[in-house]
Amino acid sequence: IAGITQAPTSQILAAGRRMTLRCTQDMRHNAMYWYRQDLGLGLRLIHYSNTAGTTGKGEVPDGYSVSRANTDDFPLTLASAVPSQTSVYFCASSSLAGVTHNEQFFGPGTRLTVL
Amino acid sequence: KQEVTQIPAALSVPEGENLVLNCSFTDSAIYNLQWFRQDPGKGLTSLLLIQSSQREQTSGRLNASLDKSSGRSTLYIAASQPGDSATYLCAGSGGSYIPTFGRGTSLIVHP
């Protein structure tokens, strides 16, 4: 593994189903993030984690949950998917210098369609 | 809360032209600003990161500047090529510490 991997690459999901998007990094970065990208709205932060064991809410957290059991993995769960969650989801990571977030690195994305 | 704006939203230029992309931010207590490139259907690729203590960074034909007092960053692309066609995004990390993105400038460089 080099950098950040995301799985699956794409998924079509029925509304109401539960779905977990996976993200793994091998750079030993403290901080990890989940963004969604929608046409006309840009990238919006869903949740983030500054270190293993802690998480925080971003701009659009409703309907999503995350966990950070270890440094490398940061899964994003949709408990009951709705069509408005159709989007492209990006995972990112960075190191931290004190409270400063350093250079971010992004995964290739997961394209999710909720019908 | 940090807000980031990128103007123009789209730009089309002939090959060989030097061009400037603009990024404005509201929180002058910015810690760093990062420029990314995104190709269609792909993830974001980091181009340059400028720390608040720096005024500019250079990588090849790219030069990014940061002016905290005016709340602006610019990405200068020299001698543009068709392969530079992509969407360019900037992200500022300010008082809330979490990077905030602009909506990007879609660049087309035509032969």
Side-chain angles (χ1 to χ4, degrees):
Chain A
I1 297 178
I4 300 178
T5 58
Q6 292 185 237
T9 301
S10 64
Q11 182 76 44
I12 298 174
L13 189 67
R17 299 295 298 268
R18 180 184 180 91
M19 176 73 191
T20 295
L21 308 184
R22 300 184 298 279
C23 174
T24 300
Q25 53 107 356
D26 65 356
M27 297 174 281
R28 308 301 294 173
H29 284 163
N30 320 76
M32 296 187 75
Y33 320 78
W34 274 105
Y35 292 90
R36 59 178 290 174
Q37 187 176 38
D38 303 285
L39 194 63
L41 297 176
L43 274 163
R44 292 181 291 169
L45 182 68
I46 305 171
H47 285 286
Y48 67 95
S49 168
N50 285 340
T51 188
T54 69
T55 62
K57 294 181 180 180
E59 181 182 356
V60 287
D62 294 343
Y64 306 95
S65 64
V66 292
S67 62
R68 187 87 183 277
N70 57 61
T71 298
D72 299 342
D73 301 300
F74 191 43
L76 175 73
T77 297
L78 290 66
S80 179
V82 295
S84 62
Q85 292 178 310
T86 294
S87 186
V88 180
Y89 291 86
F90 289 103
C91 179
S93 72
S94 73
S95 61
L96 290 177
V99 296
T100 301
H101 291 245
N102 289 326
E103 186 176 11
Q104 281 187 308
F105 295 89
F106 277 75
T110 293
R111 184 175 296 276
L112 181 67
T113 302
V114 182
L115 301 177
Chain B
K1 179 190 173 189
Q2 180 74 277
E3 294 183 4
V4 179
T5 304
Q6 292 186 250
I7 296 173
L11 185 62
S12 179
V13 300
E15 181 176 5
E17 190 164 301
N18 301 325
L19 56 100
V20 174
L21 306 181
N22 296 297
C23 174
S24 300
F25 49 89
T26 55
D27 185 355
S28 61
I30 195 168
Y31 283 87
N32 57 55
L33 190 132
Q34 191 170 0
W35 283 92
F36 296 87
R37 169 187 174 134
Q38 186 176 29
D39 293 289
K42 304 293 186 182
L44 280 70
T45 300
S46 177
L47 296 174
L48 290 163
L49 174 75
I50 311 175
Q51 302 287 356
S52 59
S53 58
Q54 302 170 318
R55 290 193 62 84
E56 64 178 60
Q57 283 283 351
T58 298
S59 176
R61 293 183 293 108
L62 305 179
N63 176 276
S65 66
L66 177 64
D67 184 342
K68 290 175 57 177
S69 62
S70 67
R72 289 186 60 197
S73 176
T74 60
L75 179 66
Y76 175 83
I77 302 176
S80 58
Q81 303 170 357
D84 295 330
S85 299
T87 296
Y88 292 81
L89 297 101
C90 64
S93 180
S96 66
Y97 313 127
I98 304 297
T100 302
F101 281 79
R103 296 190 181 181
T105 294
S106 177
L107 173 66
I108 295 175
V109 181
H110 50 86

